[in-house]
């Protein structure tokens, strides 16, 4: 019997057990991404700034995106079990070294390597899931489970991380990953056939290694420019000018190379497919709006004083909303409802979330007040993701469908990275505007401000402090109070802009009639990333 005809799972493994192993593999591959749900913990442990944390996220995400394009060829050469075990061993080695070190440069290198292992594991998951799904119905359900797992992995791990960080240091999260990887390796050894393959073995000739190198350089440089651009002063800084010029040259070289090769890393003729570019723009836009929730979590932590454990109900609300949205919308897709109308409804739900935040963000509140809006946010992401992916994938012919997947995940990466730059820029603008208004209002001749200062001073004096301590403490209290007011007001202004943006997107979707009647065409050869 040829190796590629041997079942990947052993004969005694039931279908449900196989699906459970696949889902466990998917969730484990996403573990490292959720590390960044607690940026304050990373900053405190490594002594770095917010932009450094953001770029670390870009490194692991970009490494995953670039290697997925290469993995399409690699998975046709290596046996899945051996390939997986290698990835697990490398991932565990990086985590073990991170556990015993406290060096930021090494952490960044490990993030790049773990991004590769994530791509490798994700590629195996996709090859295990979608070729087994024969009908459109099965593929829609497969999309729902896959993207449901991806969307809920961050809040699920955030609950775990919040609990661990409440009792241990940040590096113990790497120890937890090692335990998870060891368990998964044992499961793979027990359930998978060592000689099985997804395809007939194809030697690694004419692999576009140079294209991969250009691609990863372009991705990481683009991420650096977008993350550090504001901090460095954008094009007022020579470094940004040099990086932008060099990256443009790299991008043009990559395009020129891919158009000439017989077996390119990514077939760029995919852009000729009707409605494909619109689907990419929708993915990009979705990730811009999706990236705005970081400000909500920052508001809960800074203004309302939430500790990590107090945020767990918020994560549960996001998970619940996402699961409900995913499975409800999958039913509508299967019933043949218009994809664009479903997407419009999803953006409408997102607008509802922004509207709620605009009305209720203030310096006073409780965690319970924000369970409903974050549930709505989860519902919006659940409703939007499957229809947007379905719209994008169904626009391309099956013979180049895998390239649509590779370009699609690049669009998601670009949307995510752009959201970091956009959020940094917009938050700076809103905070500067609010700070200027506060400066005009709060001064010593303002009777309300003087009364507040005096009340704070008197409170500290009544507590038994001497005159100097009371004066200093009351001054610090007023400063913190003003900072909270600025952050709360800036957050509301920020969500005002996002609400306007969502409404504009809905309007654009309504005024383009040629995309209103897209027919869903999902074929067996189409594997989404």
């Amino acid at each position: 019997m040829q190796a590629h005809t041997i079942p990947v799972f052993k004969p005694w493994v039931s279908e449900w057990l196989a699906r459970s192993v696949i889902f466990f593999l998917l969730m484990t591959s996403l573990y490292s991404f959720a590390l960044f749900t607690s940026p304050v913990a990373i900053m405190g442990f490594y002594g770095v700034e917010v932009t450094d944390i953001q770029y670390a996220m870009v490194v692991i995400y970009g490494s995953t995106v670039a290697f997925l394009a290469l993995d399409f060829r690699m998975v046709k050469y290596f046996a899945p079990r051996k390939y997986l075990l290698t990835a697990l061993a490398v991932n565990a080695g990086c985590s073990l070294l991170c556990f015993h070190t406290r060096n930021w440069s090494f952490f960044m290198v490990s993030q790049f390597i773990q991004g590769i292992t994530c791509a490798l594991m994700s590629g195996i998951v996709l090859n295990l899931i979608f070729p087994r799904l024969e009908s459109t119905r099965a593929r829609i359900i497969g999309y729902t489970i896959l993207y449901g797992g991806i969307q809920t992995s961050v809040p699920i791990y955030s609950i775990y991380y919040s609990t661990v960080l409440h009792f241990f240091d940040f590096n113990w999260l790497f120890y937890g990953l090692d335990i998870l990887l060891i368990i998964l390796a044992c499961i793979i050894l027990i359930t998978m056939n060592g000689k099985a393959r997804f395809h007939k073995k194809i030697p690694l000739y004419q692999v576009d290694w140079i294209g991969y190198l250009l691609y990863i350089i372009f991705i990481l440089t683009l991420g650096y420019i977008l993350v550090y651009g504001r901090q460095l002063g954008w094009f007022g800084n020579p470094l940004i000018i040099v990086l932008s010029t060099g990256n443009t040259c790299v991008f043009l070289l990559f395009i020129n190379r891919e158009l000439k090769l017989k077996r390119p890393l990514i077939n760029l003729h995919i852009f000729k497919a009707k409605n494909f570019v619109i689907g990419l723009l929708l993915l990009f836009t979705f990730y811009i709006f999706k990236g705005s929730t970081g400000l909500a979590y920052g508001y809960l932590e800074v203004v309302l004083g939430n500790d990590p454990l107090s945020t767990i109900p918020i994560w549960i609300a996001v998970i619940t909303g996402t699961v409900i949205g995913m499975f409800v919308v999958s039913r509508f897709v299967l019933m043949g409802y218009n994809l664009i109308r479903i997407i419009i409804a999803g953006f409408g739900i997102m607008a509802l979330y922004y509207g709620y935040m605009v009305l209720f963000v203030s310096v006073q509140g409780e965690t319970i007040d924000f369970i409903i809006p974050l549930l709505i946010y989860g519902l919006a992401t659940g409703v939007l993701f499957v229809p947007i992916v379905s719209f994008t994938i169904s626009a391309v012919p099956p013979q180049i469908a895998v390239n649509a997947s590779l370009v699609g995940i690049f669009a998601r990466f670009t949307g995510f990275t752009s959201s970091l730059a956009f959020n940094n820029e917009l938050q700076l603008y809103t905070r500067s505007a609010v700070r200027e208004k506060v400066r005009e209002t709060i001064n010593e001749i303002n009777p309300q401000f003087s009364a507040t200062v005096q009340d704070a001073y008197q409170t500290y004096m009544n507590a038994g402090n001497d005159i100097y301590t009371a004066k200093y403490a009351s001054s610090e209290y007023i400063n913190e109070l003003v900072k909270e007011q600025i952050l709360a007001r800036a957050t509301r202004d920020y969500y005002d802009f996002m609400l306007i943006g969502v409404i504009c997107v809905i309007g654009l979707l309504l005024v383009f009639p040629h995309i209103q009647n897209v027919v869903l065409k999902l074929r067996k050869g189409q594997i989404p990333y």
Side-chain angles (χ1 to χ4, degrees), residues 20 61 100 166 183 207 253 257 272 290 295 308 504 506:
S20 300
Y61 200 166
H100 289 289
H166 185 74
I183 294 172
V207 176
L253 284 172
R257 179 179 177 81
K272 295 180 180 179
K290 188 175 182 294
L295 189 61
C504 290
I506 293 173

Side-chain angles (χ1 to χ4, degrees), residues 33 37 57 61 147-155 282-297 315 318 322 326 346-347 350 353-354 374 377-385 388 412-413 415-420 422-423 494-495 498 502:
F33 282 90
T37 54
M57 296 166 63
Y61 200 166
Y147 290 119
I150 292 174
Q151 293 295 306
T152 58
S153 63
V154 171
L282 287 173
L283 274 174
F284 177 84
T285 305
F286 170 66
Y287 267 77
I288 289 286
F289 292 124
K290 188 175 182 294
S292 67
T293 51
L295 189 61
Y297 301 131
W315 295 119
V318 173
T322 304
M326 283 273 186
F347 280 119
M350 187 70 79
Y353 160 69
Y354 288 133
L374 270 300
Y377 162 77
L379 188 65
T381 58
V383 169
L384 283 168
F385 211 98
I388 291 177
R412 288 159 56 189
F413 165 79
F416 166 76
T417 311
S418 299
S419 74
L420 295 178
F422 180 74
N423 291 345
Y494 172 87
Y495 281 119
M498 300 305 287
V502 172

